[in-house]
Amino acid sequence: VTSSIDRYHRQSLLAGIGADGQRRLADSTALILGCGALGCVSAELLARAGVGRLRIVDRDFVELTNLQRQLLYDERDAAEALPKAIAAKRRLERINSEITIEAHVDDVNYTNIDELAGDADVLIDGLDNLETRYLANDYAVSRGRPYAYGAAVGTSGMGFTILPHGSGDLPWENDGGDNHATPCFRCLFEEMPPAGTSPTCDTIGVLSSLVTIVASFQVTEALKVLTGNFAKLRRTLLNIELWDNDIHQLGVDGAYENGDCPCCKHRHFEYLEGESGNSASVLCGRNAVQLRPRKPDQAGHFEQLAVRLRTFGEVTVNEFMLRALVADGAKRYEISLFRDGRAIIKGTDQADDARSIYARYVGS
Ligand SMILES: [Zn+2]
């Protein structure tokens, strides 16, 4: 107990937090959705702040190009192709051994979000795609959970904290003054743009300092939520054009009242309900496709599979995944298989292509 008081002393001195706020943080659960650039910063700051339980979910593994901005990872993680959730957990446990850190190597989808977010006091966005953001938003609105959205691409960043409208009994719905519910993500961004039309950090790059700024705003909002400082939440859409020195906040209160949001006004949660049979997702801008075979059967058979795949190219296996580089005619593909049955096929942005590569080398 004494060590905890020392550890968080400079934080519990803050008027908005105090000893009581510090205890509330210790009793809290935060869900980090995706542990790329934004997620790394959020996870590290919340771990250092003493949030009692951090749940990190990420579907990907560490690569060399991540190290420029994904602060929890190092060259060894990339060389070993460690899943990001695992590498993050290992690093964070060295930073703060007094908290619980859960790592989930998985993608977030409508079948598992309830399990991942069910007991979370706040959802923190470290996602790399809009579809999962709509899903997180559906979840947040349907369950009355705060969701700290953040995004950074190129030198432009955004942030907004969704404090969903409920039936009037949520802690941010209590008074008509500063403390009030906000529009949801879908009120602000109505429709998903066609695939491939929005820039991603893989096509136009991303400034590392921008990421730390956006994530720091998200963490600040999360700390306010977790310590019960609901009236202090920002409630504006933060817009940062960092290279052009332009930082502004957009008032968006009218977006709920004046809009006709299917999610928070009509409580129609189409992303949460999911679609059956959608087993392939193109990883935007990455020249890669994720497959989720209906009947994954290679889990636990990595060693056998590795022997077979070595006849086509280089194969590495660790306790979490198998990675194979295969030359298929003039093309080269990188096949990554996870223990949960997922596969990421790199070298194509066509779902059909990825399926046929998977069928050819892994099995159908
Ligand atoms: Zn809405």
Side-chain angles (χ1 to χ4, degrees):
V1 176
T2 313
S3 79
S4 286
I5 289 168
D6 291 342
R7 178 190 286 261
Y8 304 117
H9 179 246
R10 301 301 191 275
Q11 180 168 279
S12 48
L13 274 177
L14 298 170
I17 295 183
D20 182 51
Q22 197 58 52
R23 272 190 295 274
R24 293 179 73 146
L25 291 178
D27 288 337
S28 297
T29 299
L31 173 64
I32 313 277
L33 296 160
C35 205
L38 292 171
C40 276
V41 175
S42 290
E44 176 162 352
L45 292 182
L46 292 173
R48 290 184 188 275
V51 171
R53 185 182 300 269
L54 281 184
R55 186 170 301 131
I56 297 168
V57 47
D58 191 283
R59 64 182 172 189
D60 223 332
F61 53 89
V62 181
E63 297 176 278
L64 201 59
T65 58
N66 301 150
L67 303 188
Q68 168 251 1
R69 65 199 178 284
Q70 303 188 13
L71 303 185
L72 292 174
Y73 312 131
D74 59 32
E75 291 176 357
R76 203 165 69 175
D77 299 327
E80 292 175 14
L82 271 187
K84 289 181 183 177
I86 302 293
K89 176 180 157 77
R90 288 182 183 173
R91 167 81 183 132
L92 293 169
E93 281 174 345
R94 290 199 296 273
I95 291 172
N96 192 346
S97 61
E98 295 178 356
I99 61 171
T100 303
I101 297 154
E102 293 176 18
H104 294 259
V105 183
D106 208 340
D107 71 338
V108 184
N109 58 64
Y110 73 96
T111 67
N112 65 9
I113 192 163
D114 208 21
E115 189 187 329
L116 292 167
D119 61 349
D121 300 295
V122 65
L123 279 59
I124 297 163
D125 190 341
L127 296 164
D128 62 357
N129 69 90
L130 270 178
E131 187 170 348
T132 315
R133 287 193 170 107
Y134 284 122
L135 172 71
N137 182 66
D138 268 10
Y139 189 86
V141 173
S142 72
R143 306 292 196 277
R145 224 64 67 75
Y147 165 40
Y149 156 70
V153 60
T155 57
S156 308
M158 280 187 146
F160 185 71
T161 305
I162 290 108
L163 298 167
H165 285 266
S167 40
D169 52 355
L170 297 168
W172 47 88
E173 292 185 301
N174 284 344
D175 63 58
D178 287 344
N179 191 24
H180 58 84
T182 69
C184 81
F185 184 73
R186 222 168 153 191
C187 293
L188 303 182
F189 305 99
E190 284 172 36
E191 293 295 333
M192 202 143 73
T197 58
S198 23
T200 75
C201 65
D202 299 290
T203 54
I204 66 165
V206 61
L207 188 66
S208 60
S209 53
L210 170 73
V211 167
T212 64
I213 290 170
V214 170
S216 294
F217 273 102
Q218 291 176 277
V219 168
T220 309
E221 295 287 274
L223 292 175
K224 293 174 191 173
V225 165
L226 298 178
T227 54
N229 286 287
F230 296 106
K232 285 286 186 189
L233 281 141
R234 198 182 60 246
R235 292 179 172 84
T236 55
L237 178 61
L238 178 71
N239 226 306
I240 301 173
E241 299 292 340
L242 195 55
W243 207 254
D244 298 322
N245 314 305
D246 184 14
I247 300 177
H248 57 269
Q249 302 186 52
L250 216 67
V252 292
D253 281 348
Y256 173 79
E257 281 77 14
N258 305 330
D260 193 33
C261 178
C263 175
C264 71
K265 226 166 190 177
H266 297 287
R267 305 193 70 79
H268 175 44
F269 306 116
E270 53 186 291
Y271 290 88
L272 204 53
E273 280 149 21
E275 306 158 34
S276 55
N278 186 17
S279 62
S281 44
V282 177
L283 305 184
C284 190
R286 286 193 46 192
N287 197 29
V289 177
Q290 174 180 275
L291 300 176
R292 184 179 279 282
R294 219 150 288 163
K295 264 189 156 182
D297 55 3
Q298 78 277 12
H301 298 90
F302 279 5
E303 299 305 331
Q304 275 167 269
L305 193 60
V307 170
R308 186 150 60 80
L309 287 173
R310 279 196 181 100
T311 61
F312 302 104
E314 192 188 322
V315 179
T316 49
V317 180
N318 63 32
E319 61 183 297
F320 311 104
M321 61 185 290
L322 175 152
R323 190 165 52 159
L325 299 165
V326 301
D328 187 277
K331 288 185 170 173
R332 289 174 61 79
Y333 296 94
E334 184 183 295
I335 303 172
S336 300
L337 300 174
F338 295 84
R339 293 278 179 195
D340 65 0
R342 276 181 312 119
I344 293 177
I345 314 292
K346 231 171 146 178
T348 178
D349 56 7
Q350 302 295 317
D352 290 348
D353 242 15
R355 282 199 190 92
S356 72
I357 290 296
Y358 181 91
R360 197 170 316 158
Y361 294 100
V362 184
S364 49

